Amino acid sequence: NSGADRRWLVYSDGSALASRLAKRLEGTVVVVTNGPEFKKIDERRWNVDFAGSPRSSSQHQQLLDELREGGFQPTDVVYCCGLDGVLATLGKRMMQKDLEQSLRAAFFVPTFIVRSLGRMGDPVNFSVVTRELAQVDDEAVDPLRAMLVGPVLVAPRETPQIKTRCIDVGRLWLGRTSRQAERAVLDELSATPANRLVALRGTSRWV
């Protein structure tokens, strides 16, 4: 598909980067945000419960069904996770509730999404955009983010029509460096997934 023909479904984590990516992607973009209930805000914005409970798992399928009825079937799905979050730890200071929320965001939600995409039966690209997953040099990592890789690795084996990848971005600075990083993510998303894990650091690409 050419850029203008791409149909993007972007799961936003509420971060500034997710918002900017959604605005700059070429093609038709539908944005999904976290909300307490399944709700259509307008033609290009929806709320879905990201809680990761069995109840919320059906909402991703419901979303795809309703979008298809409205004439929109995504060619690309982008799941933004933890782009502005504080580095989590597995120490005693981490509350049980925080741990459960991190588990849901890093494993259950992307698993629910790829399962729903598999039922569509049509080719689709699924990209996770996150940070603190890959270590380049001596960067800190969040151990819980490693669970994002699970759905990315398993989905293509169970449903070959889904092409997947994890895109790890470095710390986002202000000014020119931030714009370069943003452009690198957009370029990566626009390309067909070729590597399961890609680390973007400024203008450098690590696989």
Side-chain angles (χ1 to χ4, degrees), residues 18-197:
S19 177
R20 293 196 301 269
L21 291 175
K23 290 178 181 178
R24 295 187 61 187
L25 287 167
E26 186 177 356
T28 304
V29 180
V30 172
V31 177
V32 185
T33 52
N34 186 27
E37 60 181 353
F38 181 82
K39 181 180 179 181
K40 179 180 180 180
I41 302 173
D42 57 41
E43 291 298 325
R44 295 291 176 258
R45 292 186 301 157
W46 293 73
N47 271 354
V48 169
D49 180 11
F50 287 10
S53 65
R55 176 180 59 83
S56 68
S57 65
S58 63
Q59 294 186 7
H60 302 283
Q61 185 65 55
Q62 184 180 355
L63 172 65
L64 292 174
D65 291 342
E66 295 206 17
L67 288 173
R68 176 179 282 187
E69 289 178 5
F72 180 92
Q73 186 163 328
T75 57
D76 300 84
V77 177
V78 181
Y79 177 59
C80 299
C81 178
L83 292 175
D84 62 353
V86 177
L87 180 68
T89 70
L90 295 179
K92 294 181 180 179
R93 292 184 179 181
M94 189 172 190
M95 301 293 291
Q96 181 67 24
K97 183 178 180 181
D98 295 333
L99 177 59
E100 291 174 356
Q101 289 176 343
S102 296
L103 288 170
R104 291 173 185 140
F107 182 75
F108 289 108
V109 174
T111 297
F112 294 154
I113 294 173
V114 294
R115 284 179 181 173
S116 299
L117 293 173
R119 296 188 187 104
M120 285 185 4
D122 297 310
V124 62
N125 299 324
F126 176 71
S127 303
V128 174
V129 182
T130 189
R131 57 190 290 253
E132 296 164 354
L133 169 63
Q135 187 174 50
V136 178
D137 295 327
D138 59 349
E139 299 169 331
V141 296
D142 182 345
L144 292 175
R145 296 279 163 80
M147 291 185 297
L148 286 164
V149 180
V152 167
L153 292 177
V154 172
R157 298 175 184 174
E158 297 182 346
T159 48
Q161 74 271 19
I162 302 179
K163 295 181 179 179
T164 62
R165 64 186 154 197
C166 277
I167 302 172
D168 182 82
V169 299
R171 184 174 179 180
L172 300 178
W173 303 92
L174 298 176
R176 181 181 178 185
T177 303
S178 177
R179 292 192 295 271
Q180 288 178 337
E182 186 178 320
R183 182 69 258 172
V185 177
L186 287 167
D187 290 343
E188 191 69 34
L189 289 171
S190 298
T192 301
N195 304 101
R196 291 286 182 260
L197 175 59

